Amino acid sequence: MTAHGQTSAAIIDLLPTDIFESRAPAQLSDYVREQAAMHRALAFYLDEKYEVIAYRLHLSGSFGRVIKSCLYDFFVDELHAKKISSRWPDGLSSVTIWKSRRQYIAIVVSEMIPGDKAIYGYFALRKR
């Protein structure tokens, strides 16, 4: 449990979602193949080090440095988290793993998808 009485999976529900406004009408359901590719690439990257216990995906109108900056500020200022790693693995634009108390959270950005969009994923992780 966290200090706020949340389970580690619920921490991803506290992360900001208003930063992912898409400029064109589109739904995550329009990008099923891209989501599957994102999950495969993340599983390969995490290998046997972490297990995904929950996730939330968000469609964004761009990759945006502003988005990454907002997330960085939120993790540091609100969650008092430390960045564990940041990589650009094959099949993904980026994976950043954060640790807040004893909780691990990955921010995953897909490769660019049609319409200059990206899928951002919040993944609650458990260390194996």
Side-chain angles (χ1 to χ4, degrees):
M1 300 290 274
T2 68
H4 301 290
Q6 304 283 334
T7 64
S8 60
I11 194 167
I12 60 176
D13 293 330
L14 301 175
L15 303 179
T17 59
D18 58 341
I19 57 178
F20 300 116
E21 294 178 32
S22 182
R23 289 184 215 120
Q27 303 288 324
L28 275 170
S29 59
D30 297 337
Y31 301 101
V32 173
R33 279 187 306 215
E34 291 83 357
Q35 290 178 58
M38 184 179 185
H39 283 280
R40 283 192 304 274
L42 178 63
F44 182 77
Y45 173 73
L46 294 176
D47 192 28
E48 296 296 318
K49 297 175 186 167
Y50 297 96
E51 171 186 11
V52 174
I53 57 175
Y55 68 91
R56 305 284 182 270
L57 299 178
H58 305 281
L59 185 62
S60 176
S62 69
F63 285 105
R65 289 183 185 252
V66 172
I67 292 172
K68 290 182 179 181
S69 177
C70 287
L71 289 172
Y72 180 89
D73 291 346
F74 184 85
F75 273 84
V76 171
D77 298 339
E78 300 296 324
L79 296 180
H80 307 289
K82 293 177 86 173
K83 189 187 308 186
I84 301 297
S85 69
S86 188
R87 301 277 190 270
W88 300 266
D90 288 340
L92 295 170
S93 176
S94 66
V95 174
T96 305
I97 298 177
W98 293 83
K99 183 178 181 185
S100 176
R101 295 182 177 84
R102 286 177 273 154
Q103 300 173 69
Y104 294 89
I105 305 118
I107 303 300
V108 181
V109 184
S110 72
E111 292 184 322
M112 189 177 289
I113 57 177
D116 296 328
K117 297 179 184 341
I119 299 171
Y120 279 75
Y122 293 152
F123 291 81
L125 306 174
R126 178 176 21 236
K127 203 164 189 173
R128 292 184 192 242

